[in-house]
Amino acid sequence: MESKDAHENLTLKKVELKYLKQFNELLRYVFQVTDSDIEESGYEDESEIIRAKRPVLREADVYGWFTQDDELISQLAIYPCEVNIHDTVYEMAGLTGVGTYPEYTNMGLMSDLIKLGLDKMRDNKQWISYLYPYNIPYYRRKGWEIMSDKISFEIKDTQLPKIVDVPGYVEREDIDHEDVYKVYDAFAEQNHGAMIRSDLNWEEYWRWENEEERTAAIYYSADGDPCGVCFYWIAEEVFHIKEMFYLNQEARKGLWNFVSAHFSMIDRVVGATYKNEPIAFLFEDSEIKESIEPYFMARIVDVEQFIKQYPFITTGKPFHFVVTDPIAEWNNNNFSLMWDEDNHLTVTNEAIGNPVYVDIQTLTALLMSYKRPSYLYRIERLKTDKETLRTLERIIPDQEAYFSDYF
């Protein structure tokens, strides 16, 4: 059967809860989730994880292509989230559950789903979307760009930092202790890019982890205020850090004191941090192993609305972005930025001031502060005049994104 004819025999519609089993079967096939993966994550069998995924399917907007026999063969899910973008809370569309059975690839099914997904995101006023990329070039062609990195590290026991005096103390608690949530909520409010986690977001955070084998080390100040958390487990003389987040340097030092206190029990520490900020500089012995890799991608869904909400740190001479977008046609336009004497921003589609030529991917990297304007200009991803470039450097916050979730 020709691809065009096959396409015409398919139906694009919302994936309702009754298709939950098919939804998970497609995910397992595409992402090669094995029975051992499910078992290691603490689930008894496939039926348990299907039930666990039910709330996600209920909360998300899921769309898919179906055959004439009502078989789901291509899908994507739009997971509703909130994120902190430079101290401003945005509704974020998490793109997940993306997959097509191999016999139906190269038919344009996913392109149609992504176009529909962007329409739905816009309707839902989700001006930005995040995703975990299994294929970075593919998602770049669809308008997403890298927005955060993951730095994995390995530290020998002899390289652990020396214990330093801190006024507080650490207690070991369950990972769902109320103080864990208290610290993370405050941390997310302080860190650009971070997820504002709901109960469902926390469930997804632990989805592929065996929660029963994880522990939360919580650092408390001398006054008893929780201000740092380290999720960890120990196996075969290795101290594994899933994530460490803290509100101040005292808490960071206190948590590393706790890790170093395991010196006699372990021979190394392995873990990850989710910001382009190597930890080696903080250690006396900085010759630790660190590797950096792209982690999450982002995409501005609606340029005009995203910019109207964006917290520029100062004002500047009027200029306009000239944006190109491969899918969202409403973004192929001019977007002029003008500030009045009260520093109120107005965004119009008139070409006012000097132009800044960018594609949607570069604009996303720029406003998410993954790369600075001067760097994007230097590698010819952004084109403008020197004066406007200096304006961009002044008005865009200089704080890289932190994002540690997975969905």
Side-chain angles (χ1 to χ4, degrees):
M1 182 182 292
E2 295 292 331
S3 294
K4 182 177 180 181
D5 294 335
H7 200 154
E8 290 174 353
N9 291 324
L10 301 175
T11 302
L12 176 57
K13 63 180 180 180
K14 191 161 187 175
V15 179
E16 299 173 352
L17 202 56
K18 65 181 180 180
Y19 296 108
L20 178 59
K21 189 172 187 296
Q22 290 195 52
F23 174 84
N24 279 282
E25 286 175 349
L26 179 50
L27 284 183
R28 281 196 65 179
Y29 187 92
V30 172
F31 300 113
Q32 302 176 47
V33 179
T34 64
D35 291 337
S36 62
D37 292 329
I38 292 174
E39 184 178 342
E40 289 173 8
S41 300
Y43 295 97
E44 291 184 1
D45 52 35
E46 183 179 7
S47 62
E48 187 179 357
I49 195 169
I50 289 176
R51 288 193 299 273
K53 273 288 189 181
R54 187 182 298 272
V56 176
L57 196 62
R58 184 180 292 119
E59 292 294 327
D61 285 332
V62 186
Y63 299 93
W65 283 101
F66 290 80
T67 66
Q68 290 178 318
D69 296 325
D70 212 28
E71 177 191 359
L72 177 63
I73 52 93
S74 183
Q75 68 185 22
L76 63 72
I78 303 170
Y79 183 43
C81 308
E82 288 185 333
V83 292
N84 168 11
I85 296 181
H86 296 304
D87 300 327
T88 298
V89 176
Y90 277 75
E91 298 295 320
M92 184 271 283
L95 195 63
T96 185
V98 178
T100 302
Y101 282 118
E103 62 268 33
Y104 292 96
T105 57
N106 299 318
M107 292 171 56
L109 302 183
M110 190 51 62
S111 291
D112 290 342
L113 280 172
I114 289 176
K115 175 65 171 68
L116 174 65
L118 288 170
D119 286 334
K120 297 299 181 180
M121 294 175 197
R122 195 180 186 212
D123 290 343
N124 293 335
K125 298 183 179 180
Q126 296 164 318
W127 309 135
I128 190 163
S129 171
Y130 286 12
L131 62 80
Y132 178 79
Y134 288 93
N135 186 325
I136 289 176
Y138 176 82
Y139 286 111
R140 273 183 166 154
R141 292 195 296 271
K142 303 301 180 184
W144 276 262
E145 185 52 271
I146 300 164
M147 54 77 72
S148 71
D149 295 324
K150 175 181 178 180
I151 297 180
S152 301
F153 55 82
E154 180 176 326
I155 307 166
K156 298 176 184 177
D157 56 352
T158 55
Q159 296 174 311
L160 285 168
K162 296 176 181 178
I163 292 178
V164 297
D165 288 334
V166 291
Y169 55 95
V170 170
E171 291 188 357
R172 290 178 292 113
E173 300 287 356
D174 293 335
I175 57 173
D176 59 354
H177 191 277
E178 61 179 354
D179 287 340
V180 167
Y181 301 137
K182 186 181 297 185
V183 174
Y184 180 79
D185 289 346
F187 176 84
E189 289 179 1
Q190 292 179 6
N191 283 269
H192 159 59
M195 177 91 84
I196 310 297
R197 289 183 192 150
S198 65
D199 290 343
L200 185 58
N201 298 145
W202 274 110
E203 289 175 19
E204 283 300 289
Y205 178 83
W206 291 110
R207 178 71 65 206
W208 297 104
E209 299 275 345
N210 193 332
E211 300 173 61
E212 295 180 358
E213 297 180 0
R214 309 297 184 247
T215 302
I218 306 175
Y219 180 83
Y220 292 88
S221 69
D223 295 329
D225 295 324
C227 46
V229 173
C230 175
F231 292 132
Y232 77 95
W233 73 99
I234 301 173
E236 299 178 349
E237 298 184 324
V238 178
F239 192 105
H240 297 264
I241 297 177
K242 173 174 171 58
E243 184 179 11
M244 183 186 290
F245 48 90
Y246 41 83
L247 306 183
N248 52 49
Q249 293 303 301
E250 177 192 322
R252 177 183 67 80
K253 294 173 184 177
L255 289 171
W256 277 108
N257 280 352
F258 175 78
V259 177
S260 295
H262 291 78
F263 176 84
S264 63
M265 300 170 53
I266 61 174
D267 59 29
R268 59 197 169 100
V269 175
V270 298
T273 183
Y274 296 86
K275 192 174 185 178
N276 189 9
E277 184 179 45
I279 67 169
F281 184 75
L282 302 173
F283 283 27
E284 182 179 358
D285 186 346
S286 292
E287 292 186 64
I288 67 173
K289 290 182 181 179
E290 289 185 299
S291 60
I292 185 169
E293 59 184 317
Y295 188 53
F296 254 67
M297 300 182 81
R299 184 200 212 284
I300 295 174
V301 174
D302 187 304
V303 172
E304 182 171 352
Q305 298 302 324
F306 183 86
I307 290 176
K308 283 181 176 178
Q309 196 173 336
Y310 190 81
F312 294 101
I313 57 178
T314 186
T315 63
K317 186 177 179 180
F319 66 92
H320 65 279
F321 289 113
V322 183
V323 181
T324 55
D325 191 314
I327 298 178
E329 66 277 358
W330 53 83
N331 287 334
N332 288 305
N333 211 328
N334 299 318
F335 300 94
S336 294
L337 283 68
M338 299 175 292
W339 290 268
D340 62 22
E341 56 188 23
D342 296 320
N343 297 335
H344 176 74
L345 174 65
T346 298
V347 181
T348 73
N349 296 130
E350 299 177 58
I352 300 173
N354 293 328
V356 179
Y357 297 94
V358 287
D359 55 31
I360 193 66
Q361 300 95 315
T362 303
L363 184 63
T364 301
L366 177 70
L367 296 183
M368 288 299 293
S369 298
Y370 183 70
K371 297 297 181 185
R372 294 303 296 167
S374 295
Y375 175 78
L376 295 169
Y377 176 85
R378 190 164 64 250
I379 64 170
E380 300 180 351
R381 287 279 299 269
L382 177 154
K383 296 181 180 179
T384 190
D385 62 282
K386 291 295 181 67
E387 181 183 3
T388 306
L389 183 63
R390 287 192 291 269
T391 296
L392 291 174
E393 285 285 354
R394 288 197 310 272
I395 69 175
I396 296 174
D398 187 11
Q399 184 187 12
E400 295 172 339
Y402 180 101
F403 191 78
S404 59
D405 288 72
Y406 175 84
F407 48 76

